[in-house]
Every structure is written in structure tokens, then in C-alpha cells.
Amino acid sequence: FIMPTVVVMDVSLSMTRPVSVEGSEEYQRKHLAVHGLTMLFEHMATNYKLEFTALVVFSSLWELMVPFTRDYNTLQEALSNMDDYDKTCLESALLGVCNIVQQEWGAAIPCQVVLVTDGCLGIGRGSLRHSLATHNQRSESNRFPLPFPFPSKLYVMCMANLEELQSTDSLDCLERLIDLNNGEGQIFTIDGPLCLKNVQSMFGKLIDLAYTPFHAVLKCGHLTSDVQVFPRPEPFIIDEEIDPIPKAINTDLEIVGFVDIADISSPPVLSRHLVLPIALNREGDEVGPGITDDTEDENSANQIAGKIPNFCVLLHGSLKVEGMVAVVQLGPEWYGMLYSQADSKKKSNLMMSLFEPGPEPLPWLGKMAQLGPISDAKENPYGEDDNKSPFPLQPKNKRSYAQNVTVWIKPSGLQTDVQKILRNARKLPEKTQTFYKELNRLRKAALAFGFLDLLKGVADMLERECTLLPDTAHPDAAFQLTHAAQQLKVASTGASEYAAYDHNIAPLQTDFSSSSTERM
């Protein structure tokens, strides 16, 4: 339930180009970038204080100025301590982002990359033009860092206006970066002349797109609570639709029922989110979960919030004590679940996981619309002593993985099945039925896997067993072993009707076998 951010700041010489701003003070493009990033960090410190952010600077080389942190004061201090370096080499910076994110978060956590540059692509070898020109001529060991090996969005913040970028091929190259990242991301440019106001407007658009808190109302009957869902849930696109339309969750989250944790088990989910209550004071102003500049004000605000009854807090405590989850409706035929997750022995959080859209996201629960309260049932489905459960529902069709299939993942499994046949072969004719049952099971598995050499090998083993039979052995044993070996050899050729998958090897009818049947 995190979506860390990596800010990648261009500190090449081109960022020191002066900007004509009204007034006596002279600004560089770097100063405009710092102003915009300061605005972004201040917003995140207030609304995204649980998120981790890292700061990387680059020119021909890259450097991790601030590792992933929640301390936005450290990030803002680092902005004022940046030096100027040489030419722009964007590829090395993107490669550095790959290394930083994978070392810290692995390849499964989604990450947002904010690239701040002036649109100058560098010159010669290492420039973005050179990197894109050689993109299709690279080996796997020297691949271009995009697309990132983790889920990501790439936002390019250009300290230049659209006319300046269009005068060269810079905009086309930057758009190619977004395309290489599977289209995940966007390019922002300054509208109008380069000034502090327009830079603020550009970063404001980024904040509206990627860093706006998701506020919702959690409802359960007549009880409601204002909450913030963190990180912001992303729209989900259903691949099966002819014209895919992104589905976004409602701002009204309605709890439709409660289920035991044991019944819902560990279901597949699209994403997980932290649910934070937003406390309102008597004037209707928010006092949480944001932070204030003054520690005393923050403490007093938290004290006020702690004295106001809150349904979200009640729900969290109830789910934790009762060992249940709340099924919440996110939209038409779209559900999720609310549950308590412990960070440590003393601390736990109210979490929300989103299921895939559809009327039956969890097959073992059946259709969500058909679930109802226990009171509607003729008898308690959990039993009088709570010793049974109506879940999982048994599927109408038998699943392939529920059948008794033969699996040979390890050599020991195959060896065990062959030894079982040989043990029964030495106890013929008493074990005739068991012998042929195991033989047919192995034969079908070998034909399914295309393992025809196995059939010939087992046939050779049976012939060898026939020659090793003691003088006291029943005469029928030799006939059955010879018959089984011949049938396996015919099947191993794959060219006979006896090689069909559905064909079963039947015991050979002999005078000895018929007489033994009569005695029985």
C-alpha cells in the first residue's frame, strides 16, 4: 500500500541558463525547478506524509542525494545544496533510478518518477538522441532502462515552454521516453513565459494528476465516516471489453456485509490501500490526517480528533476483535474488503483491498449479490456451535486440478510409480487388478507427456521380471507380465489403436486366470 516517488533533477550546465524575470533578481532555470519541487514537497508533507520520496541528481553521472525518506525537510535542504555539473546524460540517470528502486522496493511495488529537466538532450555519445538512435541495436545486457522493470509512471517536468521544445526535436524525444515506458506517464511544459507563477501552475497540474488525496465517505447503514484512501486507487481497465473504459471506484464506499477471515481466506486483489479517518472539528475544518507546521497545533488537533467519536475507528476495532472482514461495494459489480492488518504487536491499520470487477470475484464465495445475512437462512449455516462453514462453495464442474492426476515434477515421483508396478508384478496373480490399475495410470501419464521411451523402458523391466520368476511362481504371472510388456511396446510406437490415450490394458484371460476365478 505504498507508491514511492523518485525525483530526478537535472543539474547539467544548461540548467544554469538565465531566465528574464520581472524584477532585479536574476533567476536560472535551476531556480525555477527548485521552486516547483519545493511546492511539490510542501504538498506531499501535508497530504502524502506516509509516502517515501528519494532525490537523484544527474548530469553525465548520477548521484543519490537523499535516499527514500518521509522527512521532507531533508529533501528541501538538499535542493539548496545542489552543485552544477557538466553535460546531460539522461540514460545513466534512468539506469540509476532502476537500481535505486529495485534495491529498496524490488520489482513489484509501483513507483512514480518525476524527471525535472530543461529539455536539452545532451550532445554526442550518451545524449538522449544517441540512446534512442541505438535503442534497437542493443543486446539484453546493455538494454535501455525503459520500460522500467517495475510498475511505474514517468512524469517529465520541462523548464521550458512548448514553443522552445518544438523548435528542436526535444519534445519528440521526450515523448518517445513515455512511449518506451508503455505509455505510462506524461510531459508537462510551462505555459507562456518562464516565471515563478507559471512554474507553480505546471507543478499544480502534476499534483492534481498524481498527488491529490482520495477522499471518500465510508458508510454502513446509518453510520458514516469521512476517510482518506492511500495511496490513491488507480482506474482499472477490463481487458476483455471490446472498447475498454477505465473503471474508477466511487467516493461513497458502502459496506454490504461481514465475512469471517477464515471464509474469505487470502484472496487475489488488484491493490491494497490504507484507510485513514478524516476528523472534522465543530467548524467543519479538517484536522487530520494532514500535518501542521507547528508541533503544538498538531498535538492539540490530534487531541480534539481523539475526543470525537468516529465510525472508522469503531469499525477497525470491531474487525480486529471479531476476526472478520467487511465487504465493501466500490461501484456497480465491483467489490473490495476492509480488514485490520497488524504492523507490529501493538500497532494495526485499517486496510482496503480491491477485488477484480465482476459479480463473482471470489469463486468460493459465489456471486456477491446472492450473499445474505445468517438470519435469512432456515438454519444457521455455521452450526449451533460454530463448528462448520458454508464456504467454500463446491463448483458445478469438477476442476482439472481437483482430479487425481499423475505429477512427475521430481525424479523420485516417477521412480515411486515404477517401483509400485514392479512390487505388484512380483505378487501376481493375487495383485492382478492393482497391477493393471497402476500400469494404466502410468501409461496414460506417459502418453499425455509424450514420454514414449518410458513405456518401452517399463516393458523391458517387465520382461526382465518374467525371466527372474522363481520355479514356485504361479504360471499365470508369466503370461500377465509378457502380455503387459507387449501392450506397452505397442503403445510406445504411437502408431496402433492400442496406443490411444483412452485405451486401457486389460488382464489377459488364460485358463489359469479363469480357473482361479471359478475357485473364488
Side-chain angles (χ1 to χ4, degrees), residues 275-382:
V275 180
L276 302 169
I278 301 175
L280 300 175
N281 61 21
R282 292 177 182 175
E283 286 75 29
D285 298 327
E286 294 182 10
V287 298
I291 63 171
T292 56
D293 296 331
D294 190 4
T295 307
E296 293 182 3
D297 292 343
E298 182 181 358
N299 292 336
S300 62
N302 289 336
Q303 289 176 1
I304 295 172
K307 294 178 181 178
I308 301 175
N310 192 293
F311 165 62
C312 190
V313 178
L314 171 66
L315 175 67
H316 180 206
S318 302
L319 295 177
K320 184 178 179 181
V321 172
E322 297 296 330
M324 303 187 81
V325 302
V327 178
V328 58
Q329 185 154 14
L330 310 172
E333 291 194 339
W334 194 4
Y335 299 89
M337 67 175 181
L338 293 162
Y339 56 97
S340 175
Q341 176 172 305
D343 277 352
S344 60
K345 291 183 179 179
K346 294 184 178 180
K347 186 180 178 184
S348 61
N349 301 301
L350 182 62
M351 302 292 299
M352 181 171 71
S353 292
L354 312 186
F355 302 145
E356 281 207 18
E360 195 176 355
L362 308 180
W364 60 92
L365 293 186
K367 291 185 178 180
M368 288 291 186
Q370 295 180 356
L371 296 176
I374 294 177
S375 56
D376 286 357
K378 294 181 180 179
E379 57 181 38
N380 190 341
Y382 288 92

Side-chain angles (χ1 to χ4, degrees), residues 223-245:
L223 300 172
T224 62
S225 177
D226 292 294
V227 296
Q228 176 183 342
V229 180
F230 179 85
R232 185 183 183 88
E234 293 290 327
F236 180 75
I237 299 176
I238 303 177
D239 294 335
E240 288 79 8
E241 292 184 358
I242 299 174
D243 296 319
I245 300 175

